[in-house]
Amino acid sequence: MSPLVATPTDPAVLRQAFGCFPSGVTALCALDSGTPVGMAASTFTPVSLDPPLVSVCVQDTSSTWPKLRRQSRLGLSVLAEGQDLVCGALAGKGGDRFADVDWEAGEYGSVYIHRANLWLDCSVYAEFPGGDHTIVLLEIHGLKAEPDRAPLVFHGSRFRRLAAQ
């Protein structure tokens, strides 16, 4: 093995290194005054069974998170294979992110993306500082799972497919 890079400070090097770990992609969405607001997040992790908690990490520079965090309920949709364009729309910086996205609102204002493979009805449980991100714990109040639907996988700065063995 070649020597490790000591204390990498170049964000491009860190982004490339972090990209070596494949992850699923989620959409975190809610209604804000009747209008859907949402963002893509690939830093999703199940945390606890009791209480039922998951986490996402949100950039501190996000202009969407302040709108979402004040909502009583958030919809977290784990995107499925083929939803690359949905992810791109929700990760965009401007315009109507929901213009070409099929979605529906839940009873408490959470928003869910159609054809995802998991939907979670959540509320903010806690937030913690984490460098240039905020680590958000979300408490799960309800869910619907479609485990046979293949996930959208992000690895090496691009979307990939899982291969069945």
Side-chain angles (χ1 to χ4, degrees), residues 38-90:
M39 58 191 284
S42 61
T43 53
F44 166 78
T45 304
V47 174
S48 170
L49 297 176
D50 187 19
L53 301 174
V54 296
S55 71
V56 293
C57 295
V58 179
Q59 285 184 339
D60 290 340
T61 57
S62 171
S63 59
T64 305
W65 177 241
K67 296 173 188 174
L68 289 171
R69 73 190 303 217
R70 65 178 180 243
Q71 307 308 316
S72 62
R73 292 290 178 92
L74 303 172
L76 189 140
S77 302
V78 176
L79 299 181
E81 188 175 276
Q83 291 189 302
D84 316 31
L85 296 177
V86 171
C87 178
L90 294 175

Side-chain angles (χ1 to χ4, degrees), residues 36-154:
V37 175
M39 58 191 284
S42 61
T43 53
F44 166 78
T45 304
V47 174
S48 170
L49 297 176
D50 187 19
L53 301 174
V54 296
S55 71
V56 293
C57 295
V58 179
Q59 285 184 339
D60 290 340
T61 57
S62 171
S63 59
T64 305
W65 177 241
K67 296 173 188 174
L68 289 171
R69 73 190 303 217
R70 65 178 180 243
Q71 307 308 316
S72 62
R73 292 290 178 92
L74 303 172
L76 189 140
S77 302
V78 176
L79 299 181
E81 188 175 276
Q83 291 189 302
D84 316 31
L85 296 177
V86 171
C87 178
L90 294 175
K93 297 291 183 197
D96 180 0
R97 293 181 182 178
F98 289 85
D100 296 317
V101 175
D102 292 332
W103 60 276
E104 67 182 80
E107 181 179 358
Y108 302 105
S110 48
V111 169
Y112 305 101
I113 306 301
H114 288 188
R115 294 178 298 285
N117 64 14
L118 174 64
W119 299 270
L120 301 174
D121 177 34
C122 303
S123 62
V124 175
Y125 184 82
E127 296 181 62
F128 305 96
D132 59 1
H133 280 65
T134 298
I135 302 162
V136 182
L137 290 181
L138 299 169
E139 183 172 11
I140 301 168
H141 301 286
L143 64 83
K144 180 180 176 187
E146 298 283 345
D148 292 332
R149 206 171 270 164
L152 182 62
V153 177
F154 193 69

